[in-house]
Amino acid sequence: MNNNKLAVIFPGQAAQRVGMLKTLAKHYSLVEETFAEVSEILGYDIWKLIQCGPSEELNKTYRSQPAILTASVAIWRIWKQQGGCMPRIMAGHSLGEYSALVCSESMDLYSAAKLVMIRGMLMQEVTPYGYGAMSVIIGLNDDMVFKCCRSAQKDQIVSPAGFNAPGHIVISGHKEAVNRVNLCCKNAGAKHIFMLPISVPSHCALMKPMVEKFRKALEQIVITTPNIPVVNNTDVCIEREPKAIRSALMRQLYTPVRWREIVQYCVHQKIKRFLEMGPGTILTGLVRNTVDNAFVLSINDPISFAEAMKVNWS
């Protein structure tokens, strides 16, 4: 049994940026090899899109989801190749749950890349550009954000879509309703509010019309028991049965990401160190905001990778 104190975590959408993993690719050929593998599946050069942009294209949900997934898997492959410490637990934020399932060998990269592309397309199909939005509310408690959502929704949909850290909540829904909630939260004393660079309103009831189509795509994918336990977004628990993993991925579409609870779950399992694998440092900040004195690193370039390799993760 693996008794170390390490959790590997994977970011979701909004982590993408043009030029990501550029310096890491210069040091490790596995980066471009992994992206080439996924490019064949997708039918376009995803590495070229990531390195050259434009960002408007990369930010489209059906482009950004495979891009972030592939980036995370590439980093994980290098970590394994270089003899990095194997974690006791894995978890991913929203889309990052797919990265965790690939890296835990519950599903293969080919299947996952195809699936998240379909996932992104279906999300866009049920919510055309400009129809929905997501924003981050910082500095208010859960109850106040719920209250603003209820008072501002009128005849539209808007609700909490992610509980990321104490006082760090994502909302999702119709664009006009999101704007109304933003104003309500601002008047209630929110410290900071900003829109996410995401083209669909994930993790809310607007996603329910895509559920059946996504179910059919998900049923085509082979899922096995993960080699490394994965804490899911929907129930904040570890599932080992493929049927239960599928169910959680389905419900994840329209229910909030419970990231704050996932981090707390890891801490209760005596996990004291977190390693974020993917573009950006979003989860690193969220973990630090949730757990006092958390030891957490994000790796996505040669310097951070070398630093992580020197750490005693046990």
Side-chain angles (χ1 to χ4, degrees):
M1 183 179 172
N2 186 346
N3 289 314
N4 70 42
K5 298 173 182 177
L6 172 63
V8 169
I9 53 179
F10 302 95
Q13 263 186 278
Q16 74 274 4
R17 63 180 177 80
V18 173
M20 64 186 187
L21 269 58
K22 183 177 182 178
T23 56
L24 194 66
K26 290 179 180 177
H27 285 72
Y28 301 101
S29 61
L30 257 177
V31 174
E32 289 196 54
E33 287 169 15
T34 303
F35 276 95
E37 192 179 321
V38 172
S39 292
E40 278 193 39
I41 304 161
L42 302 179
Y44 64 91
D45 190 338
I46 191 170
W47 180 249
K48 184 180 178 183
L49 173 62
I50 287 168
Q51 296 310 309
C52 303
S55 58
E56 294 79 15
E57 191 65 22
L58 179 59
N59 284 344
K60 289 178 180 176
T61 298
Y62 65 94
R63 304 279 197 206
S64 58
Q65 291 199 20
I68 296 165
L69 168 77
T70 310
S72 291
V73 172
I75 296 168
W76 169 252
R77 286 179 172 181
I78 298 165
W79 181 254
K80 283 183 69 179
Q81 182 192 62
Q82 298 300 311
C85 177
M86 291 296 100
R88 184 143 58 91
I89 283 177
M90 286 183 165
H93 189 287
S94 186
L95 166 74
E97 190 169 320
Y98 293 82
S99 305
L101 289 168
V102 172
C103 295
S104 68
E105 298 180 25
S106 179
M107 64 173 71
D108 61 73
L109 179 58
Y110 180 98
S111 301
K114 196 172 178 182
L115 186 62
V116 299
M117 180 178 69
I118 293 169
R119 180 178 183 260
M121 286 178 167
L122 290 174
M123 283 177 164
Q124 202 69 74
E125 188 179 292
V126 297
T127 53
Y129 288 108
Y131 183 79
M134 300 181 77
S135 72
V136 177
I137 313 293
I138 296 176
L140 294 181
N141 62 32
D142 296 0
D143 288 344
M144 182 54 72
V145 175
F146 271 116
K147 185 178 178 181
C148 282
C149 286
R150 285 194 297 269
S151 66
Q153 63 187 17
K154 297 185 179 178
D155 58 346
Q156 293 183 312
I157 288 169
V158 63
S159 61
F163 300 95
N164 286 339
H168 189 296
I169 300 169
V170 178
I171 63 167
S172 179
H174 288 102
K175 191 172 184 178
E176 298 86 355
V178 168
N179 287 332
R180 289 194 297 270
V181 174
N182 288 347
L183 180 60
C184 177
C185 289
K186 182 181 178 182
N187 293 335
K191 293 177 183 175
H192 193 43
I193 298 170
F194 60 91
M195 304 297 286
L196 287 173
I198 291 175
S199 58
V200 295
S202 306
H203 307 293
C204 76
L206 287 175
M207 293 294 103
K208 284 192 173 181
M210 67 169 279
V211 167
E212 284 310 311
K213 286 184 179 179
F214 185 71
R215 188 194 305 277
K216 290 175 183 175
L218 190 57
E219 284 172 355
Q220 304 303 312
I221 303 299
V222 174
I223 296 178
T224 58
T225 301
N227 288 340
I228 299 168
V230 175
V231 187
N232 72 31
N233 285 239
T234 304
D235 306 309
V236 193
C237 69
I238 290 167
E239 298 290 4
R240 292 178 173 82
E241 293 297 322
K243 185 178 180 181
I245 292 170
R246 289 179 206 274
S247 171
L249 290 175
M250 293 292 304
R251 287 177 288 122
Q252 192 218 75
L253 293 169
Y254 55 85
T255 58
V257 173
R258 297 164 64 185
W259 188 255
R260 180 178 67 205
E261 293 173 80
I262 289 172
V263 173
Q264 290 164 342
Y265 175 93
C266 290
V267 172
H268 290 152
Q269 300 300 311
K270 310 299 183 189
I271 298 291
K272 297 187 177 179
R273 298 174 175 86
F274 295 82
L275 188 57
E276 179 180 4
M277 294 189 181
T281 59
I282 293 172
L283 299 186
T284 296
L286 296 180
V287 172
R288 286 175 178 158
N289 289 338
T290 303
V291 184
D292 290 335
N293 304 315
F295 184 86
V296 53
L297 290 177
S298 175
I299 56 173
N300 49 45
D301 61 31
I303 295 172
S304 57
F305 198 94
E307 182 185 353
M309 289 298 292
K310 293 175 186 175
V311 173
N312 178 5
W313 295 102
S314 60

